[in-house]
């Protein structure tokens, strides 16, 4: 559920969700930092999951990938195809832990 997932995120990440109009053009880094500070002041960190409410247009999905395939096209059609596999056993592990993934190159 969105409410539970949002509440489980760190306070600063919840503030960032308010500050960022995700995927929209950004006037400047300073304007983004200013919006972050405005929401940090509005929703101070008291150590509770309820400190920051879910923004009205915020949503998300929890994905646990076991296989990720990336393609990089080349003019001669000998594309690069790289597959990262973690298998079923890696479910719930840290996605950033490179040792949990194997890398395989496929023919295009």
């Amino acid at each position: 559920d969105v409410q539970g997932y949002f509440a489980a995120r760190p306070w600063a990440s919840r503030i960032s969700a308010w500050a960022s109009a995700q995927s929209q053009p950004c006037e400047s880094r300073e304007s983004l930092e200013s919006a972050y500070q405005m929401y940090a002041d509005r929703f101070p960190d008291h150590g509770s999951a309820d400190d920051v409410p879910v923004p009205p247009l915020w949503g998300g999905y929890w994905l646990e990938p076991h296989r990720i395939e990336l393609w990089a096209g080349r003019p001669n059609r000998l594309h690069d195809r790289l597959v990262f596999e973690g298998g079923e056993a890696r479910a719930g592990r840290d996605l950033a832990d490179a040792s949990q993934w194997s890398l395989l190159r496929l023919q295009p």
Side-chain angles (χ1 to χ4, degrees):
D1 98 83
V2 170
Q3 186 85 25
Y5 174 65
F6 189 79
R9 294 168 53 116
W11 175 83
S13 294
R14 290 180 280 150
I15 293 298
S16 292
W18 277 90
S20 173
Q22 192 172 34
S23 299
Q24 298 301 310
C26 185
E27 178 184 317
S28 66
R29 181 71 196 184
E30 292 76 25
S31 67
L32 189 58
E33 296 284 347
S34 177
Y36 179 92
Q37 190 58 54
M38 179 184 73
Y39 286 109
D41 293 343
R42 182 173 171 188
F43 304 117
D45 185 4
H46 297 293
S48 169
D50 298 330
D51 287 344
V52 184
V54 178
L57 299 177
W58 192 88
Y61 297 93
W62 183 264
L63 302 176
E64 289 190 13
H66 301 283
R67 178 184 167 108
I68 300 170
E69 183 171 335
L70 304 172
W71 284 61
R74 291 183 173 244
N76 59 9
R77 311 248 343 130
L78 290 178
H79 308 308
D80 284 323
R81 282 181 68 189
L82 301 177
V83 175
F84 294 89
E85 290 186 307
E88 296 296 322
R90 69 155 313 285
R93 295 185 187 163
D94 183 3
L95 292 174
D97 182 356
S99 71
Q100 301 299 313
W101 296 94
S102 64
L103 174 61
L104 176 67
R105 179 180 290 276
L106 297 179
Q107 302 264 350

